[in-house]
Amino acid sequence: MRKVGVIGVGQTKFKRRPDASIREIAFEAFKEAMEDAQITPKEIQASVICSATHYDKQRTPAGVVAEYLGLNPQPTFNVEAVCASSGVGLRIGWSFINSGLHDTVAIIGFQKMTELSSAEVQEVMGRSGDVMWESPFGTTMPAYFALYAKSHMHKYGTTEEQMAKVAVKNHFYATKNPKAMFQKQITMEDVLNSRMIASPLKRYDCCANSDGAACIILANEEISKNATDMPIWVTGLGLASSPMALTSRDPSFASFDCSSEAARQAYRMAGIGPEDIDVAEVHDCFTITEIINYEDLGLCEKGQGGRLAEEGQTYLGGEIPVNIDGGLLAKGHPVGATGASQIRTLVKQLRGESGETQVKGAKRGLAHNLGGIGMYCAVTILEV
Amino acid sequence: MNFAKFGKISYVAETKLQEFEKHLETGKVMGTRCKSCGQTYFPPRADCNCLKGDIEWIELSGKCKLMTFSTLYFAPASFRYEVPYTLGVAQFEEGPAVLAPFSKEIKENEIKVGMSLRLVPTELIGGRMIYELRKADS
Ligand SMILES: [Zn+2]
């Protein structure tokens, strides 16, 4: 199998960006990735533009983004898998290179969550579930994950305090990531006393919408080896789906089937297991999601996710450091950019460029990117 | 289009399942079953994944057990005057599950995972039809 390497990564700071358009935000991340890879736009043979396009004013944004980045006449198109858009985009870029069709591909994920008016966002948000059978009753994103939280609590005894620990950890690490939206530590009391959104999930159990972009440059083996002394290789890929309707899913509501399946595929492809992972980025759209992800990815036994969080085992120095860049909860979640941002964090870790939050000697990283209310899941394994 | 009357608000009016709403008006919660492979569906489906069968309507008892629930304090624009409201997922005796709102007759502190409930067709002011979760003995 042809090897595929990551030769460049870039990311904007995640925050509200009333000062810039989507193409300009994408440019910032792209420029940083091109400087990191030390190549020019002419050398990019295809671009994969990733966003949840229902948040974009611009219809089919790949057109304006590729133009603004100087990537015409090379192929470009949009990939949409809601929050997993750029995780899926990475898989497509990998396939282009692995097949020999292209030698270098740019994956650009972006989102400007604040581009629509809040009334428009509310309207979009009301259609995040099955619009025939669920949205007519007023479901919301937090409500879907709250239903999982309540079930996980009932089945395994997971507590609101254990969930709060996840928020405290991720906000702690965000203060060490200059690209993160939140730069302030929070306490258990802050989380537990925050406003109820959808019981048992409170304000600090939920990730923050933000604006931003992230970019990953993939290349074939030869280019990767020439470009850098330390290419990072994409060695495992998994992509799976679950039913959209909640009622068609695993009735335990304590696990995301698409996560377990995508993880199984990625581990098998890389020929490793969860015990071999040194650092992980998992999709913490809500605190409960991070806890369930620990279990679905095999980082702990089923039902032990709450304990893992409670014991602080996912801090730097614990059993397995998770989301030590702040995660979606505190780094921010510009939907289309999140998957690529996770990859950027891992690449920095594996290169040893993570400063204060460096996992010493990290050789293998895993990124887990969940789409929407858990319909899509992309898992990616990177190795030095 | 009858299906446009289903739900507190409606996003989809055109479907092969128009009859569902008519049944709801007569007090029946209907699912569908594939005549070929026997698979039962709720929410109802017009087509079976076995690709072979004709679909027939079947009445569900409405008897169900609560699998999980959440009370929402923050809602989409069209629901902002309804908060707080509680949604639950319950499994029918017959096997399939339903996501539905709780009747206001049940207080949040009375709700427990595993409790027996009944799914009841309900007409709202203005003629819209929904179903809601009520106490099993109500
Ligand atoms: Zn069938």
Side-chain angles (χ1 to χ4, degrees):
Chain A
M1 187 147 43
R2 287 192 179 92
K3 288 174 84 170
V4 176
V6 181
I7 61 166
V9 293
Q11 186 194 311
T12 67
K13 181 177 167 71
F14 288 175
K15 60 174 183 174
R16 293 197 63 168
R17 289 298 303 272
D19 61 312
S21 67
I22 57 170
R23 68 190 81 180
E24 293 158 355
I25 292 171
F27 188 89
E28 291 173 20
F30 178 68
K31 179 171 185 279
E32 192 175 294
M34 295 302 284
E35 287 167 356
D36 187 38
Q38 298 183 302
I39 60 171
T40 63
K42 283 192 176 56
E43 295 169 75
I44 299 293
Q45 295 184 357
S47 61
V48 182
I49 311 297
C50 313
S51 81
T53 55
H54 46 276
Y55 289 111
D56 301 325
K57 287 267 195 210
Q58 176 69 55
R59 295 297 87 189
T60 189
V64 296
V65 171
E67 176 196 337
Y68 200 72
L69 271 42
L71 295 174
N72 299 134
Q74 300 96 307
T76 190
F77 51 87
N78 264 97
V79 169
E80 191 275 321
V82 214
C83 324
S85 296
S86 48
V88 175
L90 186 91
R91 180 185 178 92
I92 294 168
W94 184 94
S95 311
F96 278 167
I97 292 168
N98 180 257
S99 67
L101 198 57
H102 299 299
D103 300 330
T104 47
V105 177
I107 292 100
I108 300 129
F110 71 85
Q111 211 76 60
K112 212 178 153 199
M113 306 292 288
T114 54
E115 195 172 44
L116 299 182
S117 70
S118 66
E120 287 171 309
V121 169
Q122 292 272 355
E123 207 282 323
V124 169
M125 202 182 73
R127 290 185 287 133
S128 49
D130 178 331
V131 296
M132 268 183 83
W133 299 103
E134 297 181 357
S135 306
F137 297 112
T139 56
T140 61
M141 291 291 288
Y144 280 106
F145 288 90
L147 292 167
Y148 275 82
K150 191 74 88 177
S151 186
H152 203 272
M153 291 167 80
H154 178 75
K155 190 173 166 77
Y156 297 122
T158 305
T159 64
E160 294 183 40
E161 286 74 16
Q162 290 173 335
M163 289 187 252
K165 288 259 185 181
V166 173
V168 170
K169 169 179 69 74
N170 294 359
H171 278 261
F172 169 73
Y173 282 114
T175 66
K176 305 190 178 298
N177 178 359
K179 303 247 183 188
M181 180 163 178
F182 293 110
Q183 294 292 333
K184 190 168 162 275
Q185 289 189 37
I186 58 170
T187 64
M188 289 291 285
E189 289 67 37
D190 290 334
V191 184
L192 293 170
N193 296 330
S194 61
R195 187 161 56 102
M196 190 65 83
I197 303 291
S199 63
L201 300 181
K202 295 163 285 293
R203 171 64 195 87
Y204 278 119
D205 288 297
C206 307
C207 67
N209 289 346
S210 71
D211 305 336
C215 177
I216 305 298
I217 311 294
L218 297 181
N220 68 16
E221 184 170 6
E222 190 191 345
I223 294 172
S224 297
K225 283 181 173 164
N226 288 336
T228 164
D229 293 339
M230 197 183 224
I232 304 302
W233 304 105
V234 180
T235 59
L237 289 165
L239 182 63
S241 63
S242 287
M244 185 143 181
L246 219 56
T247 48
S248 305
R249 296 195 189 167
D250 172 358
S252 75
F253 298 116
S255 164
F256 296 98
D257 289 345
C258 56
S259 292
S260 320
E261 172 57 21
R264 190 190 63 77
Q265 294 171 13
Y267 287 133
R268 190 176 59 179
M269 182 171 159
I272 61 170
E275 64 285 356
D276 300 312
I277 301 297
D278 300 313
V279 55
E281 284 282 298
V282 310
H283 199 91
D284 55 327
C285 48
F286 298 92
T287 51
I288 185 61
T289 328
E290 177 161 325
I291 286 174
I292 293 176
N293 297 337
Y294 296 159
E295 300 172 12
D296 288 342
L297 294 168
L299 303 178
C300 66
E301 298 291 314
K302 291 278 179 198
Q304 293 298 305
R307 176 199 59 83
L308 205 65
E310 186 176 346
E311 292 177 357
Q313 296 292 0
T314 49
Y315 276 81
L316 196 60
E319 283 175 34
I320 171 75
V322 178
N323 291 339
I324 55 174
D325 62 353
L328 284 61
L329 286 166
K331 182 179 61 180
H333 182 31
V335 175
T338 284
S341 169
Q342 293 178 323
I343 298 294
R344 172 188 174 271
T345 294
L346 292 180
V347 166
K348 294 270 184 198
Q349 281 285 345
L350 300 181
R351 286 178 182 168
E353 296 173 352
S354 298
E356 204 185 337
T357 57
Q358 181 64 45
V359 176
K360 288 209 172 54
K363 296 270 182 289
R364 296 189 181 96
L366 177 147
H368 162 273
N369 192 195
L370 195 67
I373 54 174
M375 299 89 77
Y376 321 121
C377 184
V379 172
T380 308
I381 294 170
L382 300 178
E383 298 186 57
V384 288
Chain B
M1 288 292 179
N2 259 317
F3 200 75
K5 290 164 66 184
F6 173 67
K8 295 197 169 179
I9 57 169
S10 173
Y11 296 102
V12 175
E14 297 173 354
T15 163
K16 295 176 181 175
L17 300 166
Q18 298 292 334
E19 247 180 276
F20 177 80
E21 199 275 337
K22 266 187 244 161
H23 287 300
L24 218 52
E25 280 177 13
T26 64
K28 293 176 181 168
V29 177
M30 304 291 276
T32 54
R33 180 165 55 205
C34 171
K35 286 183 186 173
S36 183
C37 73
Q39 179 71 41
T40 300
Y41 291 109
F42 191 90
R45 289 175 49 123
D47 307 286
C48 184
N49 289 134
C50 79
L51 309 181
K52 288 185 188 133
D54 276 345
I55 289 283
E56 62 183 352
W57 288 98
I58 54 161
E59 187 178 350
L60 298 168
S61 66
K63 287 181 188 165
C64 51
K65 272 202 162 47
L66 186 63
M67 302 160 90
T68 185
F69 67 99
S70 174
T71 300
L72 285 69
Y73 295 84
F74 183 76
S78 326
F79 290 83
R80 65 184 179 279
Y81 300 116
E82 303 215 11
V83 289
Y85 55 92
T86 305
L87 300 176
V89 181
Q91 184 165 31
F92 291 112
E93 258 185 359
E94 293 89 344
V98 60
L99 184 150
F102 269 86
S103 159
K104 296 276 181 193
E105 72 174 31
I106 309 184
K107 294 185 188 68
E108 193 188 359
N109 61 15
E110 297 177 296
I111 302 175
K112 300 274 180 291
V113 172
M115 76 191 293
S116 294
L117 294 165
R118 210 155 56 88
L119 189 75
V120 183
T122 308
E123 187 173 351
L124 302 178
I125 297 161
R128 302 199 63 82
M129 288 301 302
I130 63 162
Y131 40 64
E132 60 180 21
L133 294 164
R134 293 191 194 161
K135 291 175 187 171
D137 53 5
S138 69

